[in-house]
Amino acid sequence: MAALSGNLLYIAFFLYLGATIAFTVSITGRKWRNKQGEMSGNRWGTFGFIFSILGSLFSIGYFVTRWIHAGHAPVSNMFEYMTFLGIAIGFAFVIIYAIYRSNYLGLFTMPIVMLVIAYASMFPGEVAPLIPALQSHWLTIHVITVALGQGILAIGMAAGLLYLIRTLDFTKTNIQTRALEFVMYCLLSLVGFILMGTIFNALNYEASFSYINENGLEAEMTYNLPVLVGPHEGELLTEGVMAPFVHAPALIVANDLNTVIWSLISGLALYWLLRLIFRKRIGAAIQPILKGVSPQVVDEVSYRAIAIGFPVFTLGGLIFAMIWAQIAWTRFWGWDPKEVWALITFLYYAAYLHLRLSKGWHGEKSAWLCVGGFAIIMFNLVFVNLVIAGLHSYAL
């Protein structure tokens, strides 16, 4: 069953790749001629939609078969959660595309789905029994609802990013174009993380430390990338590997901080490599293929996605989370880092809806808020969840 589950996920990934290619051809390829010899819209967008539907079906097959094999909902660690987030984004896209039929949105969304699933594959994927703290039906209710909400919000981010690349004037150097390039750099940093992880996993790189954890107890930590930042009071146990330049405080999960640093370094290298290839900003290089985008339509898509995703996220990330916290820890709220950032995410999107509906923040302002909101979600998932030790640190 485990092998079947993994194979279904592989198939889904390549179906999402097929969808990406089809949506790309639908925008950049030649149009079809009908029987009368007249030019008509090409069918590649339809093929992309079919591929994305099949990708969602196979990914749901992965989820169900892994659930059966594990005996619990497969959302208990970073591999399972990030994989399900990718599935949720793909599922949300299928629904949005059925309404708006935007091939451009598919061109932006399908690579994000693949990127999230590939990111998940960098974490241990073995099925393991749940620790006592997670043995509750609230794991299924809380985490699945949060991921579905974040998946829908990701569509809002993709539409907002599409709007910005379509409308910004890249002949000018200002805060808007610089900020958009920073967004592109952040996305490339995720690509860099995947590339670095793949390379050093293939080389079987490993470095082990004994260290003192946040509870003052001696423990061991393993690195799968060359060590830049060592653990608190760490002693290197592996011979013939690079020693750390600095040591992190006990509050910081040092091997994950080390991974984040390598991601940022590799992302910077990828960014400047693309700048050298294109000889212009990345946003400026993409903009010419987006001439057919209607800014009004993608602005509406981003708003609709957030209007739907926000209450779903609120239900899972705050209400269900507080109920489970009361059951597990006898308190509704404890200011754990993940809880704080869930609250920050809620307040941010609440502010977005207020500014959109009451203050008339449409267009570019709205698009920036959409991108910024998902940046907060990813910061929570990548940095807060991995680097800062807390009650949610078991979800790795």
Side-chain angles (χ1 to χ4, degrees), residues 64-391:
V64 172
T65 52
R66 188 176 176 96
W67 191 334
I68 294 171
H69 175 67
H72 58 79
V75 289
S76 61
N77 55 43
M78 278 296 287
F79 167 77
E80 293 177 343
Y81 183 84
M82 293 303 296
T83 299
F84 183 68
L85 176 60
I87 294 171
I89 297 172
F91 183 73
F93 167 76
V94 168
I95 296 173
I96 295 293
Y97 184 90
I99 300 171
Y100 290 97
R101 297 285 173 172
S102 173
N103 296 339
Y104 294 96
L105 187 63
L107 176 63
F108 274 55
T109 304
M110 289 295 101
I112 292 173
V113 174
M114 291 192 298
L115 187 60
V116 171
I117 294 176
Y119 174 78
S121 70
M122 295 296 101
F123 297 93
E126 297 80 11
V127 174
L130 289 177
I131 64 173
L134 296 179
Q135 293 176 5
S136 169
H137 63 277
W138 284 104
L139 168 71
T140 304
I141 298 170
H142 158 57
V143 182
I144 288 181
T145 308
V146 169
L148 287 173
Q150 290 177 340
I152 301 169
L153 293 172
I155 302 299
M157 181 278 295
L161 188 60
L162 183 56
Y163 182 97
L164 292 172
I165 297 176
R166 168 65 177 82
T167 59
L168 288 183
D169 183 359
F170 289 97
T171 62
K172 299 179 180 178
T173 300
N174 51 35
I175 189 171
Q176 288 91 343
T177 54
R178 289 194 182 103
L180 185 60
E181 287 300 287
F182 179 73
V183 172
M184 305 306 292
Y185 160 69
C186 291
L187 292 173
L188 288 171
S189 293
L190 287 179
V191 177
F193 168 78
I194 295 165
L195 290 175
M196 294 292 292
T198 302
I199 291 170
F200 282 96
N201 283 339
L203 296 173
N204 294 318
Y205 181 90
E206 189 173 285
S208 298
F209 284 81
S210 64
Y211 75 107
I212 305 300
N213 65 20
E214 68 274 14
N215 298 316
L217 303 175
E218 187 173 342
E220 285 196 13
M221 178 176 289
T222 301
Y223 288 70
N224 297 112
L225 292 173
V227 185
L228 301 175
V229 180
H232 178 60
E233 298 182 15
E235 179 182 348
L236 183 60
L237 303 177
T238 306
E239 296 182 357
V241 298
M242 187 172 73
F245 293 101
V246 296
H247 290 269
L251 179 65
I252 300 298
V253 184
N255 58 346
D256 290 324
L257 175 60
N258 187 74
T259 299
V260 171
I261 293 172
W262 274 112
S263 300
L264 296 176
I265 293 171
S266 56
L268 192 63
L270 286 174
Y271 174 79
W272 284 107
L273 176 62
L274 290 176
R275 285 291 299 267
L276 287 173
I277 293 172
F278 294 136
R279 298 185 180 275
K280 60 178 69 174
R281 294 187 180 96
I282 296 175
I286 299 173
Q287 191 178 58
I289 68 174
L290 304 183
K291 292 179 180 179
V293 172
S294 167
Q296 293 75 24
V297 170
V298 292
D299 181 55
E300 181 183 347
V301 170
S302 64
Y303 164 67
R304 297 289 183 186
I306 290 175
I308 297 170
F310 173 68
V312 177
F313 172 82
T314 302
L315 189 64
L318 289 181
I319 298 174
F320 291 160
M322 288 190 289
I323 294 172
W324 190 12
Q326 174 62 30
I327 295 171
W329 300 315
T330 68
R331 56 41 166 199
F332 286 105
W333 191 263
W335 298 104
D336 183 71
K338 286 280 288 184
E339 296 175 62
V340 171
W341 279 93
L343 178 61
I344 290 172
T345 305
F346 166 80
L347 294 174
Y348 183 95
Y349 280 109
Y352 163 85
L353 290 174
H354 169 72
L355 293 170
R356 172 98 186 187
L357 298 174
S358 301
K359 302 297 181 180
W361 279 34
H362 296 256
E364 184 178 333
K365 291 180 179 179
S366 176
W368 279 117
L369 290 176
C370 294
V371 173
F374 198 72
I376 293 174
I377 290 174
M378 291 306 297
F379 178 81
N380 191 2
L381 289 175
V382 175
F383 190 85
V384 177
N385 198 52
L386 295 179
V387 176
I388 301 176
L391 291 172

